[in-house]
Amino acid sequence: MENSNQQHKALIIGCGIAGPATALFLKRIGIDSVIYEAEKTNDDYAGLFLNLARNGLRVMDELGIDEPIRQEGIVMQTMKMVSGKGKMLGTVGQSTGEPQGYTIKRGFIHKVLREEALRQGIPIEFGKKLRSIETNEPNRVEVSFEDGSYASGNILIGCDGIHSRTRKIALPNSPVPSYTGLISFGGFVNRSKVPYERGIQKLVFGKRAFFGYMVKPSGEVYWYGNMDYNGQPTRRELQSIPQEEWRKTINGLYANDLDPIPQIVRSTQGEIGVFPIYDMPPVAEWYRKSVVLVGDAVHATSPNAGQGASLALEDAMVLVKCIRDLPNLEQAFSMFQQLRRDRVERIVQYSRSIGQRKHATNPVQVFFRDLMLPMFLKQANKDSLGWMYDYKTNWEDKITV
Ligand SMILES: Cc1cc2nc3c(=O)[nH]c(=O)nc-3n(C[C@H](O)[C@H](O)[C@H](O)COP(=O)(O)OP(=O)(O)OC[C@H]3O[C@@H](n4cnc5c(N)ncnc54)[C@H](O)[C@@H]3O)c2cc1C
């Protein structure tokens, strides 16, 4: 497959984070894309919030769209960890210098990326749920969608998230997502009385479950928690449980914790969002013929390290640099996999290990967790998790074999 960029047309499956970011970088190197999104319309209020770490923000900066995130997001400098009894266990991060990241409503980051793609003339088609992929002819990909329509191009980039249909079709021997045994939930409280402390995210190892929250200068609280949940629930199954039941369960979970936790949970407005937490075991091959996987589709990580979105953004940039600099797609995809694999697998592992620390439920586990955590945090601060947050890839630097 020769790599004259003018010959390529990319089909991008999924308009989450990786999809529009990849399309924007491709546009820079002269490759036109169309983004196909399964949802019928964009939902700017979907999916609670996420922490965009500074490594991901650097990619948004490269795309020229970091400012809205800095303006709208809640800056995060340090995470303060507190035990269920109110004892300070330690902090991660520095109160000055470059923030660890910004917490932002998921719908907002989608909107920023999507609007930039549209502004640059990249078409986004909604209601296009990928059904099948054909790669019989060299340098050609044909896809069909559930609505009966078709599209063709030269490259297909699977940005369709953890339950990627692209992965299932193009790389059928890939492992399936692995359930961590935890569900995550959260919500928003407008105009609370919880004091605003600039740059601080509070993480409380509550009596029965973990709880995290941060406050905007306006008093709005963003909060989330985790709990054990048996089986292999899907998001749809969790959503089918009535909100009143979730409220009862979650209120009960935090009823004996110190304020402001029970207060925050009780005064949550709107829906409490509930998500099963899966991550991806290592995927051996990230591409086949003209099809390549990016972001959660190939290396979804649990949210504990707050890195999934940032990794998806990094991927977008590195993949397109590889396509730009290497003579053909085979070499570009192979180099992309080689450059990214160790980093993403390390983060998936690290994030899972944090989840297990939060997970302590019986008093003995809690005792040892509270004893060990300050040492773990000291170590994390010593290394300052630089390997995770300070990853940099410059757009101008050439990739060579
Ligand atoms: C509860 C929770 C909290 C999280 N918190 C954080 C955090 O704090 N920080 C962080 O960095 N990450 C966080 N993450 C992870 C983060 O959301 C993902 O890593 C990130 O969204 C990955 O981006 P993506 O573009 O690869 O996939 P997605 O954002 O999942 O986008 C995939 C897109 O593909 C579409 N799609 C799916 N199937 C098809 C199909 N067949 N055809 C067409 N389109 C399709 C979907 O509708 C979606 O729009 C969290 C995840 C969860 C579940």
Side-chain angles (χ1 to χ4, degrees):
M1 284 173 285
E2 278 308 304
N3 196 8
S4 161
N5 290 341
Q6 282 70 24
Q7 291 169 10
H8 291 318
K9 175 189 168 198
L11 310 178
I12 294 186
I13 308 298
C15 191
I17 291 173
T22 307
L24 286 164
F25 281 117
L26 284 172
K27 169 105 186 166
R28 276 193 188 183
I29 63 164
I31 298 185
D32 288 332
S33 334
V34 180
I35 305 175
Y36 298 96
E37 166 57 46
E39 294 296 328
K40 293 216 164 44
T41 161
N42 55 275
D43 178 357
D44 288 344
Y45 299 97
L48 295 180
F49 53 88
L50 55 79
N51 175 56
L52 189 66
R54 63 177 181 246
N55 46 306
L57 198 66
R58 263 180 220 120
V59 180
M60 296 291 276
D61 183 16
E62 178 60 47
L63 289 170
I65 48 176
D66 57 316
E67 204 42 43
I69 306 293
R70 292 181 205 274
Q71 292 295 327
E72 179 62 26
I74 307 179
V75 63
M76 189 176 61
Q77 297 280 158
T78 51
M79 287 184 274
K80 276 196 181 168
M81 320 255 175
V82 182
S83 78
K85 292 180 179 157
K87 183 179 153 220
M88 175 66 90
L89 297 171
T91 59
V92 174
Q94 310 293 334
S95 53
T96 53
E98 197 183 356
Q100 287 200 38
Y102 287 79
T103 305
I104 190 91
K105 289 188 178 163
R106 182 182 291 271
F108 187 82
I109 186 172
H110 280 196
K111 181 167 179 261
V112 168
L113 283 158
R114 187 183 64 245
E115 287 184 349
E116 182 62 11
L118 290 171
R119 194 187 68 77
Q120 294 197 24
I122 297 165
I124 304 174
E125 296 196 18
F126 288 93
K128 297 287 173 190
K129 188 169 188 185
L130 178 72
R131 181 167 59 191
S132 68
I133 305 174
E134 291 297 339
T135 49
N136 296 333
E137 278 180 54
N139 201 25
R140 188 170 165 81
V141 189
E142 289 183 16
V143 296
S144 73
F145 300 101
E146 298 284 344
D147 67 356
S149 60
Y150 296 84
S152 63
N154 316 102
I155 313 177
L156 185 138
I157 304 178
C159 301
D160 45 352
I162 184 164
H163 301 290
S164 168
R165 175 110 184 109
T166 310
R167 183 183 69 235
K168 283 179 203 147
I169 304 171
L171 296 149
N173 297 326
S174 303
V176 294
S178 160
Y179 180 51
T180 59
L182 288 174
I183 60 170
S184 183
F185 43 80
F188 303 101
V189 182
N190 284 322
R191 295 188 300 279
S192 76
K193 298 246 164 11
V194 184
Y196 166 67
E197 291 178 85
R198 191 185 179 280
I200 292 180
Q201 181 173 148
K202 283 243 176 85
L203 307 180
V204 184
F205 295 90
K207 297 211 169 63
R208 295 177 59 200
F210 170 84
F211 191 86
Y213 68 96
M214 58 231 87
V215 187
K216 274 190 128 175
S218 65
E220 188 179 12
V221 177
Y222 294 16
W223 69 269
Y224 64 103
N226 293 136
M227 72 177 199
D228 294 338
Y229 197 94
N230 287 337
Q232 308 259 330
T234 63
R235 168 109 164 93
R236 214 170 285 259
E237 281 161 16
L238 298 181
Q239 276 176 315
S240 71
I241 297 172
Q243 272 289 304
E244 307 83 77
E245 270 189 48
W246 282 121
R247 281 188 179 263
K248 214 168 129 198
T249 308
I250 297 168
N251 276 323
L253 208 55
Y254 295 112
N256 299 324
D257 279 311
L258 299 176
D259 271 333
I261 300 178
Q263 243 176 301
I264 292 176
V265 177
R266 269 198 314 270
S267 42
T268 299
Q269 290 114 358
E271 201 176 297
I272 295 186
V274 188
F275 301 83
I277 301 302
Y278 287 79
D279 62 14
M280 276 301 290
V283 174
E285 295 294 336
W286 293 18
Y287 65 94
R288 193 177 66 89
K289 296 187 179 174
S290 312
V291 180
V292 64
L293 302 174
V294 168
D296 271 19
V298 66
H299 53 63
T301 168
S302 55
N304 308 303
Q307 279 287 332
S310 296
L311 291 181
L313 289 164
E314 289 176 8
D315 275 2
M317 183 157 152
V318 175
L319 171 67
V320 177
K321 283 176 59 165
C322 292
I323 295 173
R324 177 192 67 189
D325 295 341
L326 297 178
N328 58 51
L329 287 184
E330 163 72 30
Q331 283 183 45
F333 293 170
S334 163
M335 179 59 84
F336 166 62
Q337 174 179 322
Q338 192 183 318
L339 289 175
R340 298 294 295 155
R341 181 191 285 287
D342 287 353
R343 172 167 174 76
V344 301
E345 288 180 1
R346 185 174 177 194
I347 289 178
V348 173
Q349 280 308 318
Y350 172 71
S351 191
R352 235 192 203 238
S353 75
I354 304 180
Q356 280 151 4
R357 267 185 211 106
K358 286 178 183 168
H359 209 202
T361 45
N362 73 50
V364 179
Q365 285 173 325
V366 169
F367 174 79
F368 280 108
R369 198 257 334 267
D370 290 357
L371 192 71
M372 299 304 289
L373 202 67
M375 281 180 257
F376 166 75
L377 295 177
K378 221 167 162 187
Q379 190 58 34
N381 267 326
K382 210 164 123 221
D383 304 331
S384 71
L385 295 177
W387 65 272
M388 201 161 69
Y389 290 113
D390 293 331
Y391 175 88
K392 289 188 181 116
T393 174
N394 291 322
W395 176 251
E396 287 75 27
D397 293 348
K398 288 265 170 289
I399 307 257
T400 49
V401 186

